[in-house]
Amino acid sequence: MTLPRPTAPNAPSSPTPPDAPASPTAPARATREAPTPTPAPGAADPAAPPEGPAPVDATRPGVLPRGRESVGAGQATGMTDAPGEAGARPGRGAARAGCGTGPCGDPTEGLPPGAGGPGVREHARVPDASDPPGMPGAVGPVPVDGPWAGDHAAAPHGLAAGGARDHPSEPDAAELLARCRGMVEPVLRARVAGMHAWPAEMAGYAFGWCERGGEPRTGASGKGVRQALAVLCAEAAGAAADSAVDGAVAVELVHTFTLLHDDIMDGDETRRQRPAAWKAYGTGPAVLAGDALFALAFEVLAGSPGPHGGAAVRRLSRDMADVVDGQAEDLLFEGRPWTGPGAVPVDAYLRMAEHKTGALLGCAAALGALLAGAPAATVDALSTAGRQLGVAFQAVDDVLGLWGDPATTGKPVHGDLRRRKKTLPVLAALAADTPASRRLAALLAEPGPPAGAALRRAAGLVEEAGGREAALAEARGRLDRARACLGSVPLAPEPAGRLLALLPYVVGRSV
């Protein structure tokens, strides 16, 4: 069968801002200029009040059982690591420790008494001739407990040594994402434009760059969180942001691959307020477009300049295997009962979320550090921070799936419940063993999916049984773990501050 080959959309002739479509017809092997070095930070004002995104209620620590952690430093098995490459992926089902270099499992575990003041772990170092260009002399205190732990609005003053800037406000975090998009997206578009014209058009549709048929589309095409993590982690490791662009492009490619396939597997007909790619083009073509993006991601990393391309390919391969594990568990959970011996425990759900959602965020962070030539301990710590962020993201996404505003989320309200999908708020509510949880179990045991008044009643019982608050508490606890991992290894202070700013911004969506 001969497939139609529509012409790729015409490129605009003038430069475009970072959040508007750039030329999809740029050369497939575009070159990049190194970004202008960031000027030295100015003195912070200790009296200035912190600013940030509207916080999710942060009055309680995480209360749910924790899932397994990511591979830690010194836990590689079965592979010889390249310099700066993190340990190999353990066998499926193997227990995982924390990052191996600090308190990634418990935000307060292992801190020396009085180190840097209450609730703070200090990482001081003396620069030497072997340091990469731009590596700072000392990394300031990073919060791990105390009054700032779990606060989604801001990090404490004095994050960075030498008076670096405080935690950016929400608009600053958005500008940070835009800066990274402006660096990565032109290369991403050029790579996609080098594919076969038909999957390239479908990929452009999935990225939000064009409409069906190739007509250019204006407007934002996603936050670009994963690409920002790659860029910021390279800078935190002391390298230029440009060193992470290939890693950021690869992560964006595989992320969109997972979205294309996930919408098909879940039967989701819309994404970002318009038809999903499989509804616009058909199931087979959407699968093909996803496969093309997956292959291109590995091509990009394999051709990355410098000595770390092979290690980056291995890292992406291992983390994508975790994504597959998580997706497999998520699909299997749909066929399991709500209650009884075969029910899905909360800790099993959290392990699934760490794989399905956390692995790719951890991969983004790890690729940025790895391509920057960071030590294995730093790569692992940043990877684990990304994975913890991923679980927090999934917990909040589950809350939004039940109670979020459809105009914001692009999903129908109570959509996950209607599909009888296992999510953290529902599982936590059922595990609470309260009168509300027992009424919820009886309602979910009725034949057929809940609808109408029964659907609204089920959502109300989930909240009454504590499922909503438990999911938000889990998100707060995972953010604390991510912060702790960032504080467990020496990082350049100003990029580390940007990473701390990004964590709550990513999770703190409208609830």
Side-chain angles (χ1 to χ4, degrees):
M1 178 177 68
T2 302
L3 301 179
R5 301 180 60 174
T7 304
N10 294 328
S13 59
S14 58
T16 55
D19 58 350
S23 169
T25 57
R29 298 294 182 266
T31 58
R32 304 186 303 276
E33 295 180 0
T36 304
T38 303
D45 179 9
E51 297 180 347
V56 175
D57 177 19
T59 58
R60 294 177 54 199
V63 294
L64 298 182
R66 305 299 188 190
R68 67 183 180 181
E69 306 294 331
S70 300
V71 180
Q75 290 186 295
T77 56
M79 292 184 70
T80 302
D81 295 338
E85 182 182 0
R89 179 177 184 265
R92 286 160 169 72
R96 292 183 173 191
C99 71
T101 58
C104 292
D106 179 351
T108 61
E109 181 182 357
L111 295 182
V120 170
R121 179 168 186 164
E122 189 85 35
H123 289 281
R125 62 184 298 281
V126 178
D128 59 44
S130 65
D131 287 341
M135 176 65 81
V139 172
V142 175
V144 293
D145 61 4
W148 292 98
D151 190 328
H152 287 201
H157 295 293
L159 168 67
R165 179 179 175 178
D166 289 336
H167 190 313
S169 65
E170 181 171 345
D172 290 332
E175 291 168 8
L176 181 64
L177 291 170
R179 176 179 76 90
C180 295
R181 282 197 306 271
M183 184 182 306
V184 174
E185 190 168 305
V187 182
L188 177 62
R189 287 174 177 266
R191 291 290 193 173
V192 171
M195 301 192 314
H196 184 285
W198 196 36
E201 181 197 309
M202 290 185 283
Y205 180 91
F207 279 112
W209 302 336
C210 70
E211 303 292 353
R212 189 181 187 280
E215 183 70 21
R217 180 173 182 261
T218 59
S221 56
K223 290 181 179 178
V225 169
R226 290 156 190 82
Q227 58 188 271
L229 277 177
V231 170
L232 291 176
C233 286
E235 292 180 319
D242 185 66
S243 64
V245 168
D246 283 337
V249 167
V251 168
E252 284 297 308
L253 291 169
V254 295
H255 172 54
T256 304
F257 149 75
T258 64
L259 297 182
L260 285 164
H261 285 201
D262 196 53
D263 285 346
I264 295 169
M265 286 183 275
D266 289 346
D268 289 338
E269 297 186 356
T270 60
R271 178 169 291 279
R272 295 171 184 162
Q273 289 88 36
R274 63 179 185 154
W278 70 274
K279 292 298 291 183
Y281 291 91
T283 301
V287 170
L288 176 66
D291 293 345
L293 294 178
F294 184 81
L296 181 58
F298 284 91
E299 178 188 332
V300 169
L301 281 183
S304 182
H308 305 300
V313 167
R314 291 192 291 275
R315 164 64 71 168
L316 180 62
S317 177
R318 291 197 300 271
D319 286 340
M320 285 306 298
D322 269 359
V323 172
V324 171
D325 285 357
Q327 181 67 18
E329 290 299 314
D330 193 32
L331 291 173
L332 288 170
F333 286 171
E334 293 183 10
R336 290 171 63 172
W338 289 107
T339 58
V344 179
V346 167
D347 59 350
Y349 180 86
L350 293 173
R351 285 194 298 273
M352 179 279 295
E354 192 255 325
H355 291 141
K356 179 183 176 181
T357 307
L360 200 49
L361 285 164
C363 184
L367 286 178
L370 201 157
L371 291 171
T378 300
V379 174
D380 277 333
L382 292 173
S383 172
T384 303
R387 284 178 176 250
Q388 297 298 333
L389 176 62
V391 179
F393 183 95
Q394 185 64 59
V396 173
D397 193 66
D398 287 352
V399 171
L400 293 172
L402 279 172
W403 297 286
D405 179 2
T408 301
T409 66
K411 303 176 181 179
V413 67
H414 304 152
D416 287 342
L417 258 182
R418 186 181 292 107
R419 292 174 42 225
R420 306 180 70 86
K421 188 173 179 65
K422 307 297 187 297
T423 61
L424 184 56
V426 180
L427 296 177
L430 291 170
D433 194 24
T434 64
S437 66
R438 288 189 284 274
R439 292 198 301 273
L440 174 64
L443 180 59
L444 294 175
E446 294 177 2
L455 193 62
R456 292 189 294 272
R457 182 169 169 243
L461 288 171
V462 171
E463 185 159 17
E464 184 181 344
R468 177 172 178 155
E469 174 54 30
L472 295 177
E474 183 66 26
R476 292 191 291 271
R478 295 293 177 153
L479 283 181
D480 288 342
R481 292 186 182 195
R483 293 185 184 101
C485 287
L486 293 179
S488 69
V489 289
L491 299 173
E494 191 165 354
R498 296 187 193 114
L499 281 169
L500 284 170
L502 195 61
L503 298 183
Y505 180 81
V506 170
V507 174
R509 298 171 288 168
S510 300
V511 178

